[in-house]
Amino acid sequence: MALTSEDRLAITELIAMHGHLVDDGLLDRLEELFTPDVVYDVTDFGQDPLVGVAAIRAAALALGAGNPVAHHVTNVVVHEAADGSARARSKGLGVRADGSCGSVTYDDILVRTPDGWRIGHRTVTARRVPLNGLTGPG
């Protein structure tokens, strides 16, 4: 089944809603974003993947004041997958309380559920160097 314009809009809004819910401290609503068995892969940050919504909630609470005060998502690109799921890639900016900022890439696998689209797997990769380390000729 091909992704409709409505599917693409719903997926983009779902990805955007992540920042609103987390920044507002509405961690009891994470089920609106993720499947119950979601894998939230943060291995690029030296941590084990988080499995399940409760693990994501617990990790956010454990990080406490280390969490960004603002999550901004942009550059969302959605692709249809052959198995009926969707793939989305987006950029995330996290603004910390001290004004510093970090950048990540979110690679998501989204599944259609009876309650709408949900993220079933998210890989978070930190953006640490320009051009992903590409250097000039020479």
Side-chain angles (χ1 to χ4, degrees), residues 55-79:
I56 296 170
R57 186 179 295 115
L61 291 171
L63 192 54
N67 281 290
V69 296
H71 292 78
H72 301 282
V73 180
T74 185
N75 300 52
V76 179
V77 179
V78 179
H79 298 279

PDB file of all heavy atoms in Angstrom, residues 55-79:
ATOM      1  N   ALA A  55      11.408   2.303  29.298  1.00  0.00           N
ATOM      2  CA  ALA A  55      12.861   2.518  29.343  1.00  0.00           C
ATOM      3  C   ALA A  55      13.229   3.913  28.833  1.00  0.00           C
ATOM      4  O   ALA A  55      14.134   4.558  29.376  1.00  0.00           O
ATOM      5  CB  ALA A  55      13.574   1.449  28.528  1.00  0.00           C
ATOM      6  N   ILE A  56      12.529   4.389  27.817  1.00  0.00           N
ATOM      7  CA  ILE A  56      12.782   5.746  27.309  1.00  0.00           C
ATOM      8  C   ILE A  56      12.418   6.767  28.378  1.00  0.00           C
ATOM      9  O   ILE A  56      13.165   7.711  28.646  1.00  0.00           O
ATOM     10  CB  ILE A  56      11.989   6.004  26.016  1.00  0.00           C
ATOM     11  CG1 ILE A  56      12.464   5.059  24.905  1.00  0.00           C
ATOM     12  CG2 ILE A  56      12.118   7.462  25.579  1.00  0.00           C
ATOM     13  CD1 ILE A  56      11.585   5.086  23.662  1.00  0.00           C
ATOM     14  N   ARG A  57      11.265   6.574  28.997  1.00  0.00           N
ATOM     15  CA  ARG A  57      10.804   7.476  30.053  1.00  0.00           C
ATOM     16  C   ARG A  57      11.820   7.499  31.204  1.00  0.00           C
ATOM     17  O   ARG A  57      12.214   8.562  31.679  1.00  0.00           O
ATOM     18  CB  ARG A  57       9.431   7.034  30.545  1.00  0.00           C
ATOM     19  CG  ARG A  57       8.789   7.970  31.550  1.00  0.00           C
ATOM     20  CD  ARG A  57       7.399   7.482  31.982  1.00  0.00           C
ATOM     21  NE  ARG A  57       6.458   7.487  30.882  1.00  0.00           N
ATOM     22  CZ  ARG A  57       5.886   6.406  30.354  1.00  0.00           C
ATOM     23  NH1 ARG A  57       6.159   5.201  30.816  1.00  0.00           N
ATOM     24  NH2 ARG A  57       5.036   6.513  29.357  1.00  0.00           N
ATOM     25  N   ALA A  58      12.259   6.324  31.645  1.00  0.00           N
ATOM     26  CA  ALA A  58      13.207   6.225  32.762  1.00  0.00           C
ATOM     27  C   ALA A  58      14.538   6.896  32.416  1.00  0.00           C
ATOM     28  O   ALA A  58      15.135   7.578  33.259  1.00  0.00           O
ATOM     29  CB  ALA A  58      13.423   4.764  33.137  1.00  0.00           C
ATOM     30  N   ALA A  59      15.006   6.724  31.175  1.00  0.00           N
ATOM     31  CA  ALA A  59      16.271   7.339  30.774  1.00  0.00           C
ATOM     32  C   ALA A  59      16.165   8.863  30.773  1.00  0.00           C
ATOM     33  O   ALA A  59      17.090   9.556  31.208  1.00  0.00           O
ATOM     34  CB  ALA A  59      16.685   6.836  29.400  1.00  0.00           C
ATOM     35  N   ALA A  60      15.046   9.387  30.307  1.00  0.00           N
ATOM     36  CA  ALA A  60      14.855  10.846  30.304  1.00  0.00           C
ATOM     37  C   ALA A  60      14.838  11.382  31.728  1.00  0.00           C
ATOM     38  O   ALA A  60      15.456  12.408  32.030  1.00  0.00           O
ATOM     39  CB  ALA A  60      13.566  11.218  29.575  1.00  0.00           C
ATOM     40  N   LEU A  61      14.146  10.676  32.617  1.00  0.00           N
ATOM     41  CA  LEU A  61      14.095  11.113  34.018  1.00  0.00           C
ATOM     42  C   LEU A  61      15.464  10.998  34.683  1.00  0.00           C
ATOM     43  O   LEU A  61      15.856  11.881  35.460  1.00  0.00           O
ATOM     44  CB  LEU A  61      13.051  10.306  34.784  1.00  0.00           C
ATOM     45  CG  LEU A  61      11.598  10.584  34.382  1.00  0.00           C
ATOM     46  CD1 LEU A  61      10.658   9.577  35.034  1.00  0.00           C
ATOM     47  CD2 LEU A  61      11.205  12.010  34.725  1.00  0.00           C
ATOM     48  N   ALA A  62      16.206   9.947  34.359  1.00  0.00           N
ATOM     49  CA  ALA A  62      17.538   9.773  34.941  1.00  0.00           C
ATOM     50  C   ALA A  62      18.490  10.867  34.474  1.00  0.00           C
ATOM     51  O   ALA A  62      19.348  11.322  35.236  1.00  0.00           O
ATOM     52  CB  ALA A  62      18.092   8.399  34.582  1.00  0.00           C
ATOM     53  N   LEU A  63      18.349  11.311  33.233  1.00  0.00           N
ATOM     54  CA  LEU A  63      19.208  12.371  32.698  1.00  0.00           C
ATOM     55  C   LEU A  63      18.890  13.713  33.352  1.00  0.00           C
ATOM     56  O   LEU A  63      19.762  14.571  33.482  1.00  0.00           O
ATOM     57  CB  LEU A  63      19.065  12.441  31.178  1.00  0.00           C
ATOM     58  CG  LEU A  63      20.061  13.280  30.411  1.00  0.00           C
ATOM     59  CD1 LEU A  63      21.502  12.885  30.728  1.00  0.00           C
ATOM     60  CD2 LEU A  63      19.798  13.171  28.922  1.00  0.00           C
ATOM     61  N   GLY A  64      17.659  13.880  33.776  1.00  0.00           N
ATOM     62  CA  GLY A  64      17.254  15.064  34.526  1.00  0.00           C
ATOM     63  C   GLY A  64      17.649  16.371  33.862  1.00  0.00           C
ATOM     64  O   GLY A  64      17.315  16.620  32.710  1.00  0.00           O
ATOM     65  N   ALA A  65      18.398  17.198  34.582  1.00  0.00           N
ATOM     66  CA  ALA A  65      18.788  18.518  34.083  1.00  0.00           C
ATOM     67  C   ALA A  65      19.748  18.440  32.906  1.00  0.00           C
ATOM     68  O   ALA A  65      20.002  19.447  32.249  1.00  0.00           O
ATOM     69  CB  ALA A  65      19.408  19.338  35.209  1.00  0.00           C
ATOM     70  N   GLY A  66      20.255  17.252  32.608  1.00  0.00           N
ATOM     71  CA  GLY A  66      21.120  17.078  31.444  1.00  0.00           C
ATOM     72  C   GLY A  66      20.354  17.031  30.135  1.00  0.00           C
ATOM     73  O   GLY A  66      20.944  17.081  29.062  1.00  0.00           O
ATOM     74  N   ASN A  67      19.026  16.928  30.215  1.00  0.00           N
ATOM     75  CA  ASN A  67      18.204  16.947  29.008  1.00  0.00           C
ATOM     76  C   ASN A  67      18.252  18.323  28.365  1.00  0.00           C
ATOM     77  O   ASN A  67      18.348  19.345  29.056  1.00  0.00           O
ATOM     78  CB  ASN A  67      16.743  16.642  29.361  1.00  0.00           C
ATOM     79  CG  ASN A  67      16.480  15.184  29.582  1.00  0.00           C
ATOM     80  OD1 ASN A  67      16.514  14.410  28.652  1.00  0.00           O
ATOM     81  ND2 ASN A  67      16.220  14.816  30.835  1.00  0.00           N
ATOM     82  N   PRO A  68      18.135  18.387  27.035  1.00  0.00           N
ATOM     83  CA  PRO A  68      17.979  19.691  26.390  1.00  0.00           C
ATOM     84  C   PRO A  68      16.702  20.379  26.873  1.00  0.00           C
ATOM     85  O   PRO A  68      15.729  19.704  27.227  1.00  0.00           O
ATOM     86  CB  PRO A  68      17.877  19.353  24.900  1.00  0.00           C
ATOM     87  CG  PRO A  68      18.505  18.005  24.758  1.00  0.00           C
ATOM     88  CD  PRO A  68      18.208  17.290  26.056  1.00  0.00           C
ATOM     89  N   VAL A  69      16.698  21.694  26.865  1.00  0.00           N
ATOM     90  CA  VAL A  69      15.475  22.426  27.192  1.00  0.00           C
ATOM     91  C   VAL A  69      14.575  22.546  25.965  1.00  0.00           C
ATOM     92  O   VAL A  69      13.400  22.859  26.088  1.00  0.00           O
ATOM     93  CB  VAL A  69      15.770  23.833  27.771  1.00  0.00           C
ATOM     94  CG1 VAL A  69      16.509  23.709  29.089  1.00  0.00           C
ATOM     95  CG2 VAL A  69      16.540  24.698  26.796  1.00  0.00           C
ATOM     96  N   ALA A  70      15.151  22.287  24.786  1.00  0.00           N
ATOM     97  CA  ALA A  70      14.363  22.366  23.556  1.00  0.00           C
ATOM     98  C   ALA A  70      14.893  21.363  22.537  1.00  0.00           C
ATOM     99  O   ALA A  70      16.103  21.268  22.325  1.00  0.00           O
ATOM    100  CB  ALA A  70      14.414  23.775  22.973  1.00  0.00           C
ATOM    101  N   HIS A  71      13.968  20.611  21.953  1.00  0.00           N
ATOM    102  CA  HIS A  71      14.264  19.704  20.845  1.00  0.00           C
ATOM    103  C   HIS A  71      13.608  20.290  19.605  1.00  0.00           C
ATOM    104  O   HIS A  71      12.408  20.567  19.618  1.00  0.00           O
ATOM    105  CB  HIS A  71      13.668  18.319  21.092  1.00  0.00           C
ATOM    106  CG  HIS A  71      14.294  17.558  22.208  1.00  0.00           C
ATOM    107  ND1 HIS A  71      14.013  17.804  23.537  1.00  0.00           N
ATOM    108  CD2 HIS A  71      15.186  16.544  22.190  1.00  0.00           C
ATOM    109  CE1 HIS A  71      14.695  16.961  24.290  1.00  0.00           C
ATOM    110  NE2 HIS A  71      15.415  16.178  23.496  1.00  0.00           N
ATOM    111  N   HIS A  72      14.373  20.453  18.551  1.00  0.00           N
ATOM    112  CA  HIS A  72      13.831  20.953  17.279  1.00  0.00           C
ATOM    113  C   HIS A  72      14.123  19.920  16.203  1.00  0.00           C
ATOM    114  O   HIS A  72      15.267  19.483  16.062  1.00  0.00           O
ATOM    115  CB  HIS A  72      14.469  22.294  16.902  1.00  0.00           C
ATOM    116  CG  HIS A  72      14.260  23.347  17.936  1.00  0.00           C
ATOM    117  ND1 HIS A  72      13.076  24.027  18.066  1.00  0.00           N
ATOM    118  CD2 HIS A  72      15.079  23.814  18.919  1.00  0.00           C
ATOM    119  CE1 HIS A  72      13.173  24.885  19.075  1.00  0.00           C
ATOM    120  NE2 HIS A  72      14.378  24.770  19.607  1.00  0.00           N
ATOM    121  N   VAL A  73      13.105  19.528  15.446  1.00  0.00           N
ATOM    122  CA  VAL A  73      13.267  18.541  14.391  1.00  0.00           C
ATOM    123  C   VAL A  73      13.000  19.213  13.052  1.00  0.00           C
ATOM    124  O   VAL A  73      12.055  19.987  12.895  1.00  0.00           O
ATOM    125  CB  VAL A  73      12.310  17.352  14.587  1.00  0.00           C
ATOM    126  CG1 VAL A  73      12.491  16.334  13.467  1.00  0.00           C
ATOM    127  CG2 VAL A  73      12.541  16.695  15.934  1.00  0.00           C
ATOM    128  N   THR A  74      13.840  18.892  12.085  1.00  0.00           N
ATOM    129  CA  THR A  74      13.708  19.491  10.758  1.00  0.00           C
ATOM    130  C   THR A  74      14.173  18.484   9.701  1.00  0.00           C
ATOM    131  O   THR A  74      14.622  17.390  10.034  1.00  0.00           O
ATOM    132  CB  THR A  74      14.522  20.803  10.682  1.00  0.00           C
ATOM    133  OG1 THR A  74      14.287  21.431   9.434  1.00  0.00           O
ATOM    134  CG2 THR A  74      15.999  20.572  10.898  1.00  0.00           C
ATOM    135  N   ASN A  75      14.051  18.862   8.450  1.00  0.00           N
ATOM    136  CA  ASN A  75      14.551  18.074   7.329  1.00  0.00           C
ATOM    137  C   ASN A  75      13.995  16.646   7.332  1.00  0.00           C
ATOM    138  O   ASN A  75      14.728  15.682   7.091  1.00  0.00           O
ATOM    139  CB  ASN A  75      16.080  18.032   7.321  1.00  0.00           C
ATOM    140  CG  ASN A  75      16.712  19.394   7.203  1.00  0.00           C
ATOM    141  OD1 ASN A  75      16.395  20.293   7.968  1.00  0.00           O
ATOM    142  ND2 ASN A  75      17.619  19.552   6.273  1.00  0.00           N
ATOM    143  N   VAL A  76      12.719  16.496   7.565  1.00  0.00           N
ATOM    144  CA  VAL A  76      12.087  15.175   7.618  1.00  0.00           C
ATOM    145  C   VAL A  76      11.869  14.660   6.192  1.00  0.00           C
ATOM    146  O   VAL A  76      11.249  15.333   5.371  1.00  0.00           O
ATOM    147  CB  VAL A  76      10.739  15.218   8.367  1.00  0.00           C
ATOM    148  CG1 VAL A  76      10.083  13.842   8.391  1.00  0.00           C
ATOM    149  CG2 VAL A  76      10.920  15.771   9.779  1.00  0.00           C
ATOM    150  N   VAL A  77      12.395  13.467   5.939  1.00  0.00           N
ATOM    151  CA  VAL A  77      12.221  12.805   4.644  1.00  0.00           C
ATOM    152  C   VAL A  77      11.621  11.434   4.924  1.00  0.00           C
ATOM    153  O   VAL A  77      12.151  10.679   5.747  1.00  0.00           O
ATOM    154  CB  VAL A  77      13.564  12.659   3.898  1.00  0.00           C
ATOM    155  CG1 VAL A  77      13.371  11.957   2.570  1.00  0.00           C
ATOM    156  CG2 VAL A  77      14.223  14.023   3.707  1.00  0.00           C
ATOM    157  N   VAL A  78      10.512  11.111   4.263  1.00  0.00           N
ATOM    158  CA  VAL A  78       9.785   9.866   4.498  1.00  0.00           C
ATOM    159  C   VAL A  78       9.835   9.004   3.239  1.00  0.00           C
ATOM    160  O   VAL A  78       9.617   9.502   2.128  1.00  0.00           O
ATOM    161  CB  VAL A  78       8.314  10.146   4.878  1.00  0.00           C
ATOM    162  CG1 VAL A  78       7.548   8.851   5.108  1.00  0.00           C
ATOM    163  CG2 VAL A  78       8.238  11.060   6.098  1.00  0.00           C
ATOM    164  N   HIS A  79      10.129   7.708   3.433  1.00  0.00           N
ATOM    165  CA  HIS A  79      10.159   6.744   2.336  1.00  0.00           C
ATOM    166  C   HIS A  79       9.263   5.569   2.682  1.00  0.00           C
ATOM    167  O   HIS A  79       9.236   5.122   3.828  1.00  0.00           O
ATOM    168  CB  HIS A  79      11.582   6.217   2.107  1.00  0.00           C
ATOM    169  CG  HIS A  79      12.554   7.265   1.713  1.00  0.00           C
ATOM    170  ND1 HIS A  79      12.664   7.734   0.438  1.00  0.00           N
ATOM    171  CD2 HIS A  79      13.461   7.948   2.456  1.00  0.00           C
ATOM    172  CE1 HIS A  79      13.608   8.663   0.391  1.00  0.00           C
ATOM    173  NE2 HIS A  79      14.092   8.814   1.604  1.00  0.00           N
TER     174      HIS A  79
END
